[in-house]
Every structure is written in C-alpha cells, then in structure tokens.
Amino acid sequence: MSNDIKSMTLQEIQDVIKSAGFEKYRAQQVYEWVYKKKAQHTDDFKNIPLKVREYLEANYDFFLPEILKMQESEIDGTKKLLLQLDEDTKIETVILNDEGRYTACISSQAGCGCGCAFCATGTLGLKRDLTAGEITGQFLRDEIEAGQPLDNVVFMGMGEPLLNTDNVFKAIKILSDPHGRGFSQKRITVSTVGIIPGIDALAEEGFKVNLAVSLITADPAERAKIVPMEKKYPIKDVIKAAKKYAMKAESRLTFEYVLMEGVNDSPEDAEILVELIRGTECRVNLIPYNKVSGKKFASGRREKVLNFQRILKEYRINALIRKEKGADIDAACGQLAAKEGKK
Ligand code: SAH
Ligand code: SF4
C-alpha cells in the first residue's frame, strides 16, 4: 500500500515526478485527475504524455477500495458500503442523505481498541490503522456513490481517529488541499472518545475541522464503567483540551451523548450533564442508542429522550436529537462492525 497515490500529498507526488525526470507540473495534473475528476486509471489522464502515464502505472496504485457489498435504505436512501482494503481487511463507510445534502461517515481504523462497552466496533478490537490513502479512497468512493459533491464528512465510522493521527491528519490535508479536491475543513468533523494528545495535535497542526467528543455520560464514575478511556483521559480534562482547540480553530464543538435506557437517560443524568458543560460554547447531539445484538444496552422511550432534551434546553444548551438514518440496514454512524469481517 505504500505506493498508493491517494496516500500522497501534492508535494510528495511532485518530488517523485521530478526525480523521475518529468516536469513538476505533471503532479498537479495527476492530482486533478484523482481528486477532481475521480479517474481510477492512468489511461484516463488525457493531458499527460504516455511516458509519464507508464511510469505512474508501473509504480503507483490508482484503484479505489473495492465495494464488496452495498445496502441502500428503503426508508431514507442511506447507503452503507462494505469495502475490501486487503485480503483480511474489510471496513464500512456510510453515505447519509439529508434532503439532498450528503454526508460521508468514514472509518479511520479497522476495528477499534478503545473497548467502549456499548459499541459494535469496540467488540472487534483493533485490527489495524487505515492508511491515508484508504481514508481518501473512502471519500472518493462515497462521493462517486452519492452522485454529487459531498457536503460533509464525519469521522464517525469504525475506529478512533485520534489514535491514528498520522494517517487521519494526512488524509485531511490531502482532501482539503485546494490544488486537489479542496474540501473545506469546516465541513469535516473528527469524532473522538477523548484522546487528549490527539486533540492537542489538531491544534498544533492548525486545523479548522470541527471536533465532536463522545461524552456518552457526564458522571465520571459511570463513564469509566462503559468508556475505558475515561481512566486514561478524564472527561474534565478532555473538555478543557477540546475547548482550547475549538477556540483556536474557531470551529464547532459538539458533545455526543448516546442515550441508553437506565444508564444515562434520567432527569438526574441531564442535570449532571448541565453541570459539566455549562458555560461551554457547544452543541449537544443526543443519539438514541442503536441496538447492537449481544449487548445489554437499549434505547429508552421517545418521551424520555424528549424530556432529556427539554431539561438541557431549560439551561439554554443547544441540544439536538439525532435523526435516525438507515435504520433498516444497520447503517447508523458508530454502529459499524463489518459483520462479514468477523466470519
Ligand atoms: N471513536 C470515535 C468515532 C467513532 S464512533 C468516537 O468514539 O467518537 C462515532 C459515534 O458513534 C460515537 O459518538 C459513539 O459513541 C457512537 N456510537 C457507537 N456505537 C453506537 C450505538 N450502538 N448507537 C448509537 N451511537 C453509537
Ligand atoms: Fe472505539 Fe468510538 Fe466505538 Fe469507543 S465508541 S469503541 S472509541 S469506535
């Protein structure tokens, strides 16, 4: 995979093109074919001389991750793709369609090592990090399948993006490079369980992406029981780092709160949440739990969810309930487990 063209920045392509003895500007043309025109074969690179194309073809891989399976929701058109990355690695990516606006939900790792008790990906354990090219490849696949330019990208598929910062950051730089796809960082959201060094690294890189923190539940002792990372990175410190980043980046800070019946959905739980985030400029996404087979967690009744939201609103906290998408095909973000991968 090391010679996957989609893992390379424009600078890196320029360097290899130059050292192969070709004009440097050919790299820019390659970048446009890959990211703007989504060509998957060097034969398509019409403005590039045959000699350069042959060199590229011999040394680099231009293929997008292969689609093993695609499911489309009959309810709302959400599409879930199972992609084959290599012989033993399959991952999922989801294209959400919200009244003509398309959001790609992208994976950053195959599996995840963080072990959150409620999460389907967590039960797989970490198989491996995805390369930058496997991340940009998902973007291109999703944009092709959407049939129109994507509006948003969220790192809410499989894996913890801030435990694969080398590749995730590189992919963000490639996708947002104006010489290529030029996808605005303001339309990218990185979702994290709360990896503080990763949040700090986002700030150091000078990124503008939005940050979402999977708060899950606001009581640290309860959180530690279902989110093991709480023991390493306590939520209070995570919030401090997240605020600092959002301030510097002038980006949006979201807290994801997955509502689970009897775990974190009582009025008292809402009050604890208010205490924790009061005064923080943020938005709360209330996510009714999606049932994962074999796990004891469940989502509560609709009235309970609405009541939880009402309490937050009383304190003027901007709380949205996430609309359910692709319910008939298990396609909710964060619910991905590549069942085929387990066989
Ligand atoms: N590792 C990152 C990103 C992937 S998970 C993170 O944890 O933030 C993306 C989101 O999906 C997280 O907020 C996670 O809490 C949520 N999620 C995971 N499993 C879920 C489920 N079964 N139902 C609802 N949300 C879930
Ligand atoms: Fe990993 Fe996020 Fe799932 Fe936790 S919720 S196991 S961090 S993917």
Side-chain angles (χ1 to χ4, degrees):
M1 272 299 172
S2 57
N3 44 3
D4 180 356
I5 203 86
K6 298 178 298 313
S7 277
M8 296 168 76
T9 61
L10 178 57
Q11 179 72 52
E12 287 170 339
I13 301 174
Q14 282 171 345
D15 290 348
V16 297
I17 288 262
K18 255 174 70 182
S19 46
F22 303 116
E23 304 106 317
K24 186 176 137 188
Y25 75 92
R26 297 291 176 202
Q28 169 66 41
Q29 292 176 322
V30 171
Y31 222 49
E32 281 171 17
W33 280 110
V34 174
Y35 291 102
K36 291 195 174 146
K37 298 168 201 156
K38 302 193 176 55
Q40 289 176 57
H41 205 277
T42 51
D43 287 348
D44 299 332
F45 299 1
K46 297 199 183 65
N47 54 356
I48 298 181
L50 184 62
K51 252 169 63 182
V52 184
R53 278 189 268 150
E54 280 172 350
Y55 161 78
L56 290 168
E57 187 61 37
N59 293 284
Y60 296 96
D61 173 12
F62 289 81
F63 293 113
L64 294 182
E66 192 190 329
I67 303 178
L68 271 186
K69 204 164 119 187
M70 175 154 70
Q71 285 172 278
E72 186 166 353
S73 163
E74 285 173 15
I75 306 170
D76 53 36
T78 298
K79 284 183 189 171
K80 178 165 81 168
L81 311 185
L82 179 68
L83 302 178
Q84 178 107 46
L85 300 183
D86 62 43
E87 223 170 282
D88 0 78
T89 315
K90 300 179 181 82
I91 53 127
E92 289 176 324
T93 178
V94 177
I95 308 153
L96 301 139
N97 173 3
D98 193 6
E99 286 158 20
R101 296 183 58 78
Y102 285 84
T103 298
C105 179
I106 284 185
S107 295
S108 56
Q109 299 179 311
C112 181
C114 294
C116 300
F118 56 88
C119 172
T121 307
T123 49
L124 296 175
L126 176 63
K127 301 265 173 69
R128 70 168 172 85
D129 287 338
L130 300 196
T131 66
E134 288 166 343
I135 296 169
T136 55
Q138 283 174 75
F139 176 100
L140 293 170
R141 260 286 173 240
D142 290 347
E143 195 153 64
I144 290 168
E145 286 309 317
Q148 67 177 72
L150 295 172
D151 295 288
N152 296 291
V153 168
V154 295
F155 282 89
M156 294 182 189
M158 303 171 82
E160 170 47 53
L162 295 185
L163 287 178
N164 183 18
T165 48
D166 284 357
N167 296 307
V168 168
F169 287 9
K170 194 172 188 192
I172 292 172
K173 287 178 194 165
I174 293 170
L175 292 173
S176 59
D177 184 343
H179 298 289
R181 176 59 181 79
F183 193 81
S184 169
Q185 290 189 7
K186 299 241 167 231
R187 293 176 175 278
I188 298 176
T189 298
V190 172
S191 175
T192 180
V193 72
I195 309 297
I196 295 174
I199 297 173
D200 292 343
L202 278 174
E204 278 153 34
E205 289 282 348
F207 280 136
K208 298 286 179 194
V209 298
N210 301 299
L211 184 63
V213 172
S214 295
L215 202 133
I216 311 302
T217 186
D219 175 355
E222 283 307 310
R223 191 171 189 268
K225 286 185 201 159
I226 48 178
V227 180
M229 273 297 163
E230 167 70 22
K231 289 172 220 145
K232 194 161 182 191
Y233 303 117
I235 192 64
K236 270 215 163 84
D237 301 338
V238 172
I239 293 176
K240 221 186 275 169
K243 274 161 90 164
K244 199 167 137 202
Y245 166 71
M247 214 67 125
K248 179 169 186 241
E250 298 177 324
S251 65
R252 192 176 53 225
L253 176 58
T254 302
F255 292 112
E256 293 159 282
Y257 195 100
V258 178
L259 282 160
M260 292 173 263
E261 164 96 276
V263 174
N264 61 357
D265 65 345
S266 72
E268 294 74 42
D269 293 316
E271 300 280 348
I272 299 172
L273 175 58
V274 170
E275 272 314 301
L276 184 69
I277 63 171
R278 232 173 153 175
T280 301
E281 201 174 310
C282 67
R283 179 169 96 178
V284 175
N285 262 355
L286 297 173
I287 310 171
Y289 183 66
N290 287 301
K291 186 75 193 147
V292 174
S293 73
K295 294 206 183 278
K296 61 179 181 187
F297 301 97
S299 65
R301 279 175 298 118
R302 186 75 185 166
E303 302 92 88
K304 235 177 153 183
V305 175
L306 289 170
N307 193 44
F308 198 96
Q309 181 189 38
R310 189 185 52 73
I311 297 171
L312 298 184
K313 286 198 158 168
E314 274 172 14
Y315 290 95
R316 299 190 192 291
I317 290 170
N318 180 7
L320 304 166
I321 299 170
R322 183 185 285 173
K323 275 191 252 172
E324 199 180 17
K325 290 278 175 193
D328 50 338
I329 57 167
D330 270 3
C333 275
Q335 202 195 341
L336 309 179
K339 292 182 187 106
E340 281 77 4
K342 278 199 279 194
K343 281 177 200 159

